[in-house]
Amino acid sequence: MLYNMPTKLYYGKNIISQHKDEMICGEKALIVTGKNSAKITGALDDVISVLNEFKIPYVHYDEIGENPTYDMILKGRDICLKNECDFVIAIGGGSPMDAGKAIAVLTANPDLIPDDLFDNNNYDVSLPIVAVPTTAGTGSEVTEYAVLTKPNGRKSGFKSNLIFPDVSFLDPIYMLKMNKNLTLTTAVDALSHAVEGLLSKKSTPISNILARESIELIYRYLPKTLEDLENVEYREKLAIASTLAGMVIAQTGTILPHSLGYRITIHKGIRHGQATAIFLPLIAKEVKKENPKKVETLEKIFGTLDNFEIFLKKIGTYNFNIVFTEEELELFSEEVMNSSHIKNTPGNYDKNKIKEMYKKIAKI
Ligand SMILES: [Fe+2]
């Protein structure tokens, strides 16, 4: 068994101001964000004030949208190279953090194209990466993964030890501004990471402990948070849950629900966490057929797997309507069967079973 999570993680309220010097990983920073979240949460101001205090020049690239594309990361790489930035500070949800990771590798290896990122034998160096999450879901602040959207529209993750952030600052205060929908969709992404980690063939005794704690925290505090969005105590619990779940997938990777969900996000516009979590009970039931021990923790927490589904329904995870054409079902099931997620998912799967899963989701 290996437990590998080399990121230095600082956690707590106003944590950046208490460990300012740790943020300085070079002589000129590229700050990578989306259009809004880094600004409205106060995280960007906190980062800039530290850089100003240490007289570290910076360039701010704020064009990362949801599900980052090759164009977005190539533009970031060009800005980083042109301005000779030597470290990256990524602020936001999973998209800016994942884009920041890709930009850090592409800048350190200017001859690479984005497709080269997916084979980590192509590079052995990256710029240092600092991560400041403003949502509680992705866990990207403690993982060696980054998910990009390829020009053909497929979402795909790349993995390298080099993209574990060097340092991450997890401050629940930045999460107080998330609206109800974003709170839900990001939290159920974290829940998916923890549950998939438990079910995965790659689960370990340590990842299982982290996963169990993460799931319990989300079970207890997500419904409360959805009713009281500005409660910083609840936000703290979800922030820890999400980072624990990130530490889980740093060991286990994700399994089938993520692969199933990617298609719905890209083709139906359903947010990542929600698109993934809707498949958790279905996959848990399949896993139970092969290995009942794998679902014992879930059954302890929720009572039964049906109760797990009821919990997800109650908090609004299934509140959408989608329909699929036969062509879509054919394409999605083909892509899912070819995805890497399937090999670490206990159970037996074929195209028809995958199609049935999509049909069940469409009916809800
Ligand atoms: Fe995810």
Side-chain angles (χ1 to χ4, degrees):
M1 187 194 79
L2 170 70
Y3 181 79
N4 180 34
M5 205 296 280
T7 298
K8 186 184 263 190
L9 173 74
Y10 283 107
Y11 164 75
K13 288 177 233 168
N14 301 310
I15 196 68
I16 285 182
S17 64
Q18 296 168 48
H19 296 277
K20 299 172 191 173
D21 51 329
E22 297 272 357
M23 184 179 288
I24 311 304
C25 296
E27 291 177 358
K28 188 170 185 180
L30 178 76
I31 302 177
V32 178
T33 72
K35 275 275 169 256
N36 296 314
S37 75
K39 296 167 195 164
I40 61 170
T41 56
L44 179 64
D45 286 345
D46 287 353
V47 166
I48 288 176
S49 85
V50 170
L51 295 175
N52 286 340
E53 192 179 323
F54 283 80
K55 299 195 167 39
I56 297 291
Y58 63 88
V59 178
H60 181 194
Y61 174 51
D62 69 352
E63 295 177 30
I64 305 300
E66 221 169 310
N67 307 312
T69 61
Y70 282 14
D71 286 348
M72 291 175 199
I73 57 168
L74 284 172
K75 188 165 177 189
R77 191 269 311 263
D78 291 347
I79 291 171
C80 199
L81 279 173
K82 189 174 142 218
N83 290 282
E84 297 181 341
C85 300
D86 61 359
F87 71 114
V88 170
I89 304 176
I91 311 171
S95 299
M97 284 193 280
D98 288 1
K101 290 173 173 183
I103 291 167
V105 176
L106 289 177
T107 305
N109 303 274
D111 294 336
L112 295 188
I113 58 170
D115 275 336
D116 296 332
L117 293 170
F118 295 89
D119 179 354
N120 59 24
N121 293 313
N122 287 327
Y123 45 94
D124 53 16
V125 60
S126 164
L127 298 191
I129 300 161
V130 178
V132 184
T134 60
T135 65
T138 161
S140 189
E141 68 276 9
V142 290
T143 74
E144 73 279 46
Y145 304 112
V147 179
L148 302 175
T149 301
K150 293 184 170 186
N152 64 5
R154 287 183 67 170
K155 275 181 81 154
S156 215
F158 72 95
K159 176 184 180 186
S160 163
N161 264 331
L162 296 169
I163 60 168
F164 272 115
D166 293 72
V167 56
S168 291
F169 295 93
L170 181 65
D171 186 337
I173 289 177
Y174 300 145
M175 295 157 194
L176 292 171
K177 294 281 191 290
M178 276 194 281
N179 64 30
K180 200 167 179 170
N181 185 257
L182 189 60
T183 302
L184 172 69
T185 54
T186 49
V188 293
D189 184 27
L191 180 64
S192 304
H193 298 157
V195 172
E196 289 176 43
L198 267 184
L199 303 178
S200 170
K201 287 181 187 170
K202 289 171 77 182
S203 68
T204 71
I206 291 181
S207 69
N208 285 345
I209 291 168
L210 302 173
R212 187 182 65 212
E213 180 66 17
S214 174
I215 296 166
E216 277 181 357
L217 285 170
I218 293 167
Y219 176 53
R220 287 175 58 192
Y221 290 99
L222 177 55
K224 291 181 183 180
T225 312
L226 293 172
E227 296 305 316
D228 189 3
L229 294 173
E230 298 208 17
N231 186 315
V232 74
E233 251 180 67
Y234 297 164
R235 292 289 185 185
E236 276 189 72
K237 305 290 187 194
L238 292 185
I240 292 175
S242 139
T243 296
L244 290 177
M247 293 175 182
V248 171
I249 55 165
Q251 317 309 313
T252 65
T254 55
I255 58 168
L256 262 186
H258 263 67
S259 183
L260 290 156
Y262 284 160
R263 274 80 217 168
I264 300 192
T265 296
I266 293 297
H267 295 276
K268 304 291 172 187
I270 306 294
R271 277 188 155 145
H272 166 65
Q274 203 171 0
T276 304
I278 54 179
F279 292 104
L280 293 174
L282 289 172
I283 297 297
K285 285 174 186 171
E286 289 299 321
V287 171
K288 186 177 179 177
K289 286 180 203 165
E290 179 168 303
N291 186 350
K293 270 200 163 318
K294 285 259 179 213
V295 300
E296 276 176 2
T297 299
L298 278 179
E299 290 177 329
K300 260 187 208 140
I301 295 173
F302 294 97
T304 63
L305 294 182
D306 284 338
N307 283 353
F308 175 36
E309 189 170 343
I310 291 167
F311 168 78
L312 288 173
K313 279 185 180 153
K314 261 193 192 155
I315 57 175
T317 318
Y318 294 86
N319 290 353
F320 56 80
N321 282 313
I322 41 178
V323 286
F324 301 112
T325 62
E326 261 313 312
E327 292 74 42
E328 283 174 330
L329 289 178
E330 187 60 31
L331 173 72
F332 297 176
S333 58
E334 177 81 33
E335 287 182 352
V336 169
M337 287 306 294
N338 287 330
S339 70
S340 58
H341 302 79
I342 209 146
K343 72 174 189 295
N344 292 320
T345 311
N348 294 309
Y349 305 93
D350 57 29
K351 270 177 74 173
N352 279 339
K353 198 180 261 185
I354 299 295
K355 279 186 192 175
E356 286 309 309
M357 289 184 183
Y358 279 115
K359 283 182 189 165
K360 275 190 194 150
I361 294 310
K363 273 188 201 146
I364 288 169

